[in-house]
Amino acid sequence: MSTPLLRCSNVSVAYGEVVGLRDVSLDVAQGEVIAIIGANGAGKSSLLNGIMRLAKTTGTVEFDGHDISRARASRLTRMGLALVPERRQIFPSLTVEENLLVGANALPRRERRAALAEIYDTFALLAERREQAAGTMSGGQQQIVALARAVISRPKLCLLDEPSLGLAPIWVSELFNEITRLARTGMTIVVVEQLASAALAIADRGYVLEHGRVALEGRAADLLGNAAVAGRYLGSVDQAAAR
Amino acid sequence: MMRPWARGGWRVELVIVLVAIVALVLLGGANAYYVRIIELVLIYAMVGMALDVITGYGGQFSLGHSGLFAVGAYAASYGYLHMGIPFPLNALWAMAIAAVAGVIIAWPALRLSDLYLALATMAFAFIVQLAANDFDGITGGAGGVGGLAPAISRYGISAWLGEHYLWVVGLAFVVTWILLRRMTRSRWGRALIGMRDSEMLAASVGVDLRALKRGAFVLSAMVTGLAGALFAHLGFLSPDIFQLALSISFITIVFLGGSGTLIGSLVGAIVVVGVPERVTIDPNLNLVIYGALLIVVMIAAPRGVAGALQSVAERWRRTRSAPKPSVAVDVHEPATPGPRVRPSEPLDPRRALVATDVHKAFGGNTVLNGVDLTVGAGRLVGLIGPNGSGKTTLLNILGGQLIADAAELRIDDERVEQLGPPDRVRRGLARTFQHATLVPSLTVSENVMLGAHLRGAIPFVGAPFAVGRRLREERALGERAAALLEEVGVEPGYWHRRPEELPYGVTRIVEVAVALAAEPRYLMLDEPAAGLVEEEIERLAGVIDRCVGSGVGVLLVEHHLGLVLRLADSVVCLDGGKIIMSGDPETVARHPAVLEAYLGPAWATPATEVTP
Amino acid sequence: MATLIEVLVSGLALGAIYALVGLSLNVVYITTRVVSFAQGDIGMLVVAGTLWLGDHGGRPLAVDLVLALAGAAVVAVLVDLIAVRAIRGGVGVAAYGWIVSTLGVSIVIQNSTAMWFGTESRGFPHVLPTGTIELFGAVIPTERLLTVAVVAALILLLALAVAKTQWGRVARALADNQPIAAACGVPTNWIRTSVVLVGAALVGVAAMLSAPQTFVNAYIGTSLLLNGMVAIVLGGLGNVRAGLVGGLVLGVANAIAGRYLDSTLVPYVPFVLLLVWLIFGADVRGKLASARAARRRDPVGVTA
């Protein structure tokens, strides 16, 4: 395999005393869609926060051949990394268009308008509501805003942190269709999800995290519906039954 | 970080007092003028201590103490000169007037948050400053009020007092210090610090925040008024004295000397008042240095001089005592009497924590859509569900941290929706939080003792005066804390450490102990196992089990299904704001709807068998 | 009628200055959540510095003004770096540590200025053209009208910048969510510094407009700050447009009080207004705040 677009080597993430991620290594090749699943507290968000330099990490993270382990968060967009944060975290007091323009900050000024136009072509919803304050939108709509804000800068790698969180099922399928479409344009995608089936259904490969470590990995099709995955996911239901 | 002086802290206080005495003697001397300086230092130190109680301990930022000081001074002088009240009775009169002023400010103003409170108290200080100039009748206007010091000698006995005024002031200082110190070393000191560091935690253990803020502010005003009265009798009052700059001086005294230490204000007063009087350089340079000191202190040593000494003493004491306990948690195995016998009699809804038809929406999002929940006494209900399902919101509504759009909540058949957290605690409800919430400035045992705040009996006004009772109460609370910590399995080596020094797993267990300290009838635990390792989860399970066995109704919100299945009498699964499944643990955990909620449609087929 | 017009214009001119100080405080607050108690003194440095520069070298006034502005701006950035950012992470004092440290800064600036400026109060040259015009029988100094015009222009300019430029967008994004703004590629430190610089410039202009009507000494910063603070409290912390209204209300109230009330009562007006609004306006503030909060994501946290 050629050099992976993203490589994490022995990455640990800690928030003060609490260890979120322990010694995790994984690779993401160009053009792949990777699903990271696991129960709450398994370390999924910690992984993304670590990659995006929003949390303290040890270990090495390499992106596109560069070591970004010590880089500043604001540099990463320019390098082609983008994040759709947990719980969307759009800028509530800004309008949809302003949110998108902030996302396009890394682009030179001339290109921003063009990128904006492209986004409006792709996401009709946003074109309709470009002047609406993002904070007044529903969760599902905000998720689209957050997604568009991340991809407007045409990143090489897009990280999505639990995009289905708090969304009604119909929005979930909309969203995952969108992600698939983006993947088809050649974007590399890493989706962290609690809703394992939705994530695995669109992914090439998957990793199951448990207690901050990689418990299982493999092709998404193999993991889907797998009983061992369910067991890991629900924190060893079987062990409890044995008591 | 500031903390009340634990046993042994008196050594640092003694050192400070001795150093202060030496400094004062050096500053002072036989010269009458320099005796005045010592009197001034002691008076300002009194105000410093008063301010420390409300700002250093209580976290309520007041820029208005120059106003209270003025009120006390002018009340005393007016009482003496125009109402014929002799000294020292006019000082009591001044305290009363200042207390009234304190009540007037405190009642509405303490609802305000930090910046607004600072501005409101600042406005008060300015108004007093202006009024001092304007209300000639009382204050003598810009010309000032004179004739106070010599006037003392008009009353026989008072002549002696006038000559020995330094001892009068000194006595007042010492008595004030002793009384305030007693208060801060009672449960009220912990409550103040808890309120400062974490209002949410303080409220959740039953501290009535509003009453405490008001009480502390009035106390602070009274002491400041007394200091003002003593100041008046130094001789001459002029409105120029009572400017905002004086409030800033008081703030400096507290923060430079040591906020949250009381005696630190003596050091602060020596530096702020004494030194400039004795060491005369360019007065502007003086002030520049003092301003710079303030900045440096806030950046480098927010605990001030006394606080820094205290840290040094702590560190020294720590290196001399037993080495830091190992992280291995096998040392203390509490006796496990075996799994709890599940209750057989039917649930009595009158002895239960009941939530009926809870609705809550944020903006456009409906988070809870008609949820019913019952936690019976002596039973454990597990509450599970994926992220975003509404579990923590439900807990917050039950606990009083959040108000529902619609809900009927009952504790032991009494409706409580209208009550705030402290009142619910009083009715037997306790909880832990999802994110670590211990008071950072207090030690582990002090945190647990704070949890038992409502078990104390000495009222706020009684605290400065109750000597024997206070010691007995403190000892009882301390012993109870020790027993609880032993029962939950926290090693004694951790008991006198601060939360920041503990491994994460230990802080979570301590939080459970804090909640148990209130002797609740109903306990709500929000993901207590999050971030814990196997052994710690074991111990936690034992604690919870024993708790339920002793008759406490427990609501356990958890993602760790193994723990829930072991401990629960019944399990409720929440998804999308509704209960999708409830019943006995085994059934619920394997139900396809639950699996689907967590994992998605691919796992909904009943044929899916989970293999080890 | 004529006097009423004069009083109103005078009040509006005063209020415009307060509003400008308030704007300076709000702009910085919006991005940093801090209200520097030394902000008024930054303004003082501009006018005191101009006078000092005027004493030392025969440059035109405009050049001195610009130089003094630049110097004050640098001081403002240093203050933010040293006394504010350094404080942010304390335990127990975190909430109001910056109040104490910026008070300390204020003391340092005021008294060190006294050392090189001297203790005498001095006049300040008029920055705007003097002269009067007649309006409905009232004689109005053109300076006052121009003050209102200048402030209005500045506020409009800044409102435009905040609303329409990329800088304004990212500054507002920073206030909403700093880490995510950084994750979007916003250089958060630079933006913060630029906001502090703008704040300094605004309060500097306010001082320039106010000084000719009064005087300059090392301590005028305090009254500038107080009036600005009352203005933003009346308008609601962080609300730029309302801060304007707050300043104008205060200015007109002061002017009316000055004309129609006993002179001893006049100084009380801002403080009484402030206290009354803080204490009794709570319900109104609450409703305004919840209306704004409803537009934002919920602060308590929906994840369960």
Side-chain angles (χ1 to χ4, degrees):
Chain A
M1 187 164 57
S2 51
T3 328
L5 184 60
L6 178 74
R7 161 166 287 168
C8 296
S9 314
N10 306 104
V11 173
S12 298
V13 177
Y15 306 95
E17 278 281 341
V18 190
V19 179
L21 204 68
R22 296 167 212 268
D23 208 31
V24 161
S25 299
L26 54 80
D27 284 347
V28 180
Q30 179 106 23
E32 274 197 301
V33 179
I34 304 288
I36 313 244
I37 61 176
N40 211 42
K44 314 190 296 296
S45 290
S46 305
L47 175 63
L48 292 191
N49 286 337
I51 295 172
M52 210 59 198
R53 311 292 312 129
L54 294 175
K56 291 216 156 44
T57 58
T58 53
T60 325
V61 181
E62 289 165 87
F63 176 70
D64 205 15
H66 304 282
D67 183 345
I68 61 168
S69 323
R70 306 278 162 258
R72 224 185 257 175
S74 45
R75 281 199 54 218
L76 298 177
T77 342
R78 226 168 304 157
M79 298 177 63
L81 251 180
L83 173 70
V84 181
E86 190 182 18
R87 281 174 291 121
R88 303 166 277 286
Q89 295 190 60
I90 43 89
F91 304 112
S93 63
L94 271 56
T95 63
V96 167
E97 178 153 312
E98 290 172 335
N99 265 275
L100 297 175
L101 285 170
V102 172
N105 199 53
L107 296 175
R109 187 149 48 103
R110 279 163 283 115
E111 289 186 34
R112 280 185 212 140
R113 290 284 155 186
L116 195 61
E118 245 187 75
I119 292 287
Y120 285 145
D121 271 341
T122 324
F123 301 95
L125 169 80
L126 299 181
E128 285 165 34
R129 293 166 181 266
R130 60 183 83 182
E131 296 301 325
Q132 185 175 351
T136 60
M137 300 178 100
S138 77
Q141 296 167 333
Q142 287 186 354
Q143 191 64 281
I144 302 290
V145 175
L147 182 63
R149 180 183 64 181
V151 302
I152 188 172
S153 56
R154 291 185 221 110
K156 294 187 192 134
L157 173 62
C158 186
L159 306 168
L160 292 103
D161 199 342
E162 296 210 38
S164 76
L165 190 57
L167 289 193
I170 178 147
W171 277 106
V172 174
S173 31
E174 278 272 333
L175 185 70
F176 279 90
N177 285 339
E178 206 41 66
I179 297 175
T180 315
R181 201 197 48 78
L182 280 169
R184 257 184 255 132
T185 67
M187 198 181 285
T188 313
I189 303 205
V190 175
V191 187
V192 156
E193 252 306 333
Q194 241 219 344
L195 220 47
S197 63
L200 288 172
I202 61 163
D204 301 313
R205 289 191 299 123
Y207 291 83
V208 182
L209 293 185
E210 194 187 25
H211 295 319
R213 291 182 207 276
V214 177
L216 289 174
E217 64 176 279
R219 295 186 341 132
D222 297 335
L223 293 173
L224 198 65
N226 187 311
V229 174
R232 287 290 188 175
Y233 203 95
L234 292 178
S236 317
V237 174
D238 48 301
Q239 285 176 9
R243 288 191 211 281
Chain B
M1 274 156 287
M2 303 112 211
R3 47 174 276 187
W5 300 83
R7 266 160 302 175
W10 59 268
R11 287 187 199 91
V12 178
E13 286 182 297
L14 188 61
V15 166
I16 290 181
V17 169
L18 289 174
V19 167
I21 292 178
V22 169
L24 283 174
V25 167
L26 286 177
L27 272 181
N31 189 319
Y33 175 66
Y34 292 117
V35 167
R36 277 272 178 274
I37 297 180
I38 300 179
E39 288 165 357
L40 200 61
V41 166
L42 289 173
I43 289 172
Y44 276 36
M46 277 175 70
V47 181
M49 291 194 298
L51 185 56
D52 198 10
V53 166
I54 189 71
T55 299
Y57 283 89
Q60 309 301 305
F61 197 84
S62 168
L63 276 173
H65 274 55
S66 60
L68 292 169
F69 191 60
V71 166
Y74 283 120
S77 81
Y78 190 79
Y80 187 85
L81 294 173
H82 300 276
M83 291 168 68
I85 309 178
F87 183 86
L89 291 177
N90 66 338
L92 290 173
W93 162 249
M95 283 174 76
I97 300 291
V100 169
V103 167
I104 294 177
I105 311 173
W107 237 255
L110 287 171
R111 264 190 285 152
L112 304 171
S113 61
D114 296 310
L115 179 63
Y116 284 137
L117 182 65
L119 291 178
T121 49
M122 193 168 75
F124 170 71
F126 269 109
I127 290 179
V128 171
Q129 177 183 335
L130 289 170
N133 259 309
D134 294 340
F135 286 77
D136 307 54
I138 300 179
T139 69
V145 180
L148 280 166
I152 287 186
S153 63
R154 278 201 289 158
Y155 290 79
I157 286 181
S158 306
W160 185 85
L161 277 179
E163 276 169 48
H164 296 86
Y165 198 57
L166 174 59
W167 299 105
V168 173
V169 173
L171 181 68
F173 174 81
V174 170
V175 169
T176 303
W177 177 43
I178 290 176
L179 293 180
L180 287 179
R181 188 174 179 271
R182 282 203 205 128
M183 192 275 293
T184 59
R185 291 167 74 106
S186 72
R187 64 184 178 123
W188 296 104
R190 282 189 296 275
L192 281 169
I193 293 178
M195 179 171 80
R196 181 193 70 207
D197 284 350
S198 173
E199 282 201 8
M200 190 173 70
L201 179 77
S204 76
V205 299
V207 176
D208 184 343
L209 296 176
R210 215 177 290 172
L212 182 59
K213 285 181 194 178
R214 288 172 181 164
F217 200 84
V218 171
L219 173 63
S220 183
M222 279 173 61
V223 172
T224 309
L226 173 63
L230 292 172
F231 178 78
H233 283 282
L234 285 181
F236 187 81
L237 292 181
S238 151
D240 309 332
I241 305 173
F242 305 109
Q243 298 192 1
L244 184 70
L246 183 62
S247 265
I248 300 182
S249 293
F250 292 145
I251 292 282
T252 310
I253 287 174
V254 171
F255 282 89
L256 196 69
S259 66
T261 65
L262 276 191
I263 196 65
S265 294
L266 183 57
V267 174
I270 291 175
V271 174
V272 170
V273 176
V275 171
E277 287 276 350
R278 268 305 225 142
V279 181
T280 34
I281 27 180
D282 184 330
N284 285 315
L285 188 59
N286 240 356
L287 288 167
V288 171
I289 294 177
Y290 140 54
L293 257 177
L294 202 55
I295 304 172
V296 168
V297 163
M298 290 314 291
I299 299 176
R303 299 180 64 183
V305 168
L309 273 177
Q310 200 188 335
S311 310
V312 168
E314 267 172 39
R315 233 172 298 156
W316 181 76
R317 216 184 305 142
R318 206 180 308 148
T319 52
R320 278 191 23 159
S321 67
K324 195 164 172 177
S326 60
V327 187
V329 292
D330 49 17
V331 174
H332 205 102
E333 255 322 308
T336 0
R340 168 169 61 92
V341 174
R342 300 295 156 112
S344 49
E345 72 281 5
L347 193 149
D348 180 0
R350 286 166 307 159
R351 287 195 59 226
L353 171 67
V354 181
T356 314
D357 203 27
V358 181
H359 287 268
K360 182 67 182 172
F362 294 109
N365 273 328
T366 306
V367 178
L368 290 172
N369 201 355
V371 171
D372 299 311
L373 188 72
T374 303
V375 181
R379 288 163 158 74
L380 189 144
V381 174
L383 179 59
I384 64 176
N387 274 351
S389 53
K391 306 193 298 293
T392 296
T393 307
L394 182 60
L395 233 58
N396 284 334
I397 287 174
L398 282 166
Q401 282 80 22
L402 203 60
I403 304 198
D405 295 331
E408 192 185 294
L409 306 171
R410 289 173 187 274
I411 298 178
D412 285 343
D413 215 28
E414 184 188 346
R415 293 191 59 160
V416 297
E417 311 86 72
Q418 304 296 335
L419 301 179
D423 290 312
R424 299 192 198 190
V425 176
R426 215 159 280 152
R427 281 160 182 72
L429 182 64
R431 68 165 293 178
T432 63
F433 293 88
Q434 204 171 6
H435 303 291
T437 342
L438 291 176
V439 177
S441 316
L442 296 176
T443 64
V444 166
S445 53
E446 286 164 347
N447 264 284
V448 179
M449 287 165 78
L450 178 63
H453 180 76
L454 289 179
R455 299 290 140 202
I458 300 178
F460 184 75
V461 293
F465 304 104
V467 184
R469 260 182 83 193
R470 181 182 62 85
L471 288 171
R472 280 195 298 277
E473 180 173 287
E474 285 296 290
R475 191 173 316 142
L477 286 173
E479 280 166 8
R480 186 170 158 63
L484 263 172
L485 285 168
E486 228 184 270
E487 192 191 309
V488 302
V490 176
E491 297 172 28
Y494 285 127
W495 293 359
H496 298 294
R497 298 229 194 273
R498 303 259 182 75
E500 56 164 10
E501 307 171 51
L502 306 175
Y504 186 70
V506 179
T507 60
R508 299 297 273 165
I509 303 261
V510 170
E511 284 166 30
V512 178
V514 170
L516 289 175
E519 288 169 48
R521 287 201 297 286
Y522 302 100
L523 179 62
M524 303 191 300
L525 300 168
D526 198 346
E527 299 192 30
L532 264 52
V533 297
E534 278 304 315
E535 307 92 70
E536 291 165 341
I537 297 182
E538 269 308 303
R539 183 164 45 199
L540 179 69
V543 170
I544 299 177
D545 216 32
R546 281 193 295 284
C547 196
V548 183
S550 70
V552 178
V554 175
L555 177 61
L556 175 66
V557 172
E558 249 310 328
H559 277 283
H560 195 293
L561 269 200
L563 189 65
V564 174
L565 291 176
R566 248 176 87 182
L567 299 173
D569 295 303
S570 64
V571 174
V572 170
C573 182
L574 207 58
D575 187 27
K578 280 188 174 302
I579 295 182
I580 60 171
M581 190 67 209
S582 76
D584 89 88
E586 290 295 319
T587 326
V588 174
R590 296 184 192 289
H591 197 277
V594 173
L595 287 173
E596 178 175 349
Y598 270 99
L599 288 146
W603 279 274
T605 48
T608 306
E609 267 304 307
V610 181
T611 49
Chain C
M1 178 62 175
T3 30
L4 188 62
I5 295 183
E6 278 168 16
V7 167
L8 271 174
V9 172
S10 164
L12 287 174
L14 262 180
I17 295 176
Y18 304 155
L20 193 54
V21 179
L23 180 67
S24 150
L25 291 169
N26 259 337
V27 164
V28 175
Y29 175 79
I30 287 176
T31 316
T32 66
R33 292 284 176 270
V34 165
V35 177
S36 169
F37 276 66
Q39 192 77 337
D41 303 302
I42 300 288
M44 178 277 290
L45 280 178
V46 173
V47 289
T50 307
L51 287 177
W52 185 88
L53 284 169
D55 294 341
H56 296 80
R59 289 166 297 265
L61 177 65
V63 173
D64 285 344
L65 279 172
V66 170
L67 286 173
L69 251 175
V74 169
V75 171
V77 173
L78 283 173
V79 167
D80 183 56
L81 276 172
I82 300 175
V84 181
R85 290 200 222 182
I87 306 286
R88 281 325 217 111
V91 172
V93 281
Y96 49 79
W98 51 263
I99 299 182
V100 181
S101 67
T102 54
L103 277 173
V105 170
S106 175
I107 295 172
V108 169
I109 294 181
Q110 287 185 352
N111 290 284
S112 54
T113 303
M115 295 193 330
W116 53 261
F117 186 79
T119 46
E120 296 282 304
S121 297
R122 294 171 57 175
F124 195 77
H126 291 265
V127 193
L128 298 171
T130 48
T132 58
I133 65 168
E134 229 186 86
L135 202 65
F136 302 114
V139 177
I140 303 176
T142 35
E143 197 174 3
R144 296 216 180 122
L145 291 172
L146 286 172
T147 302
V148 177
V150 167
V151 170
L154 272 173
I155 287 173
L156 270 165
L157 192 70
L158 215 71
L160 257 164
V162 167
K164 302 279 183 210
T165 63
Q166 186 72 352
W167 174 82
R169 277 176 222 126
V170 302
R172 281 181 289 134
L174 203 76
D176 270 354
N177 191 329
Q178 188 186 338
I180 298 300
C184 287
V186 174
T188 49
N189 282 328
W190 281 118
I191 300 293
R192 184 185 170 121
T193 302
S194 69
V195 169
V196 170
L197 287 171
V198 168
L202 290 171
V203 74
V205 171
M208 276 188 236
L209 293 172
S210 149
Q213 329 270 12
T214 51
F215 48 80
V216 176
N217 63 38
Y219 306 99
I220 57 172
T222 308
S223 72
L224 269 176
L225 177 75
L226 279 172
N227 286 309
M229 278 185 165
V230 175
I232 62 175
V233 168
L234 287 179
L237 209 56
N239 189 333
V240 172
R241 281 167 296 178
L244 256 160
V245 176
L248 293 176
V249 165
L250 179 62
V252 172
N254 268 332
I256 292 182
R259 181 72 182 75
Y260 298 110
L261 282 183
D262 191 303
S263 61
T264 46
L265 293 180
V266 172
Y268 291 88
V269 169
F271 307 114
V272 172
L273 250 178
L274 178 68
L275 276 178
V276 166
W277 180 250
L278 274 179
I279 293 174
F280 299 106
D283 295 314
V284 180
R285 275 206 312 281
K287 289 202 196 77
L288 286 174
S290 56
R292 287 173 77 206
R295 291 194 290 116
R296 296 166 182 268
R297 69 189 158 93
D298 114 81
V300 177
V302 176
T303 30

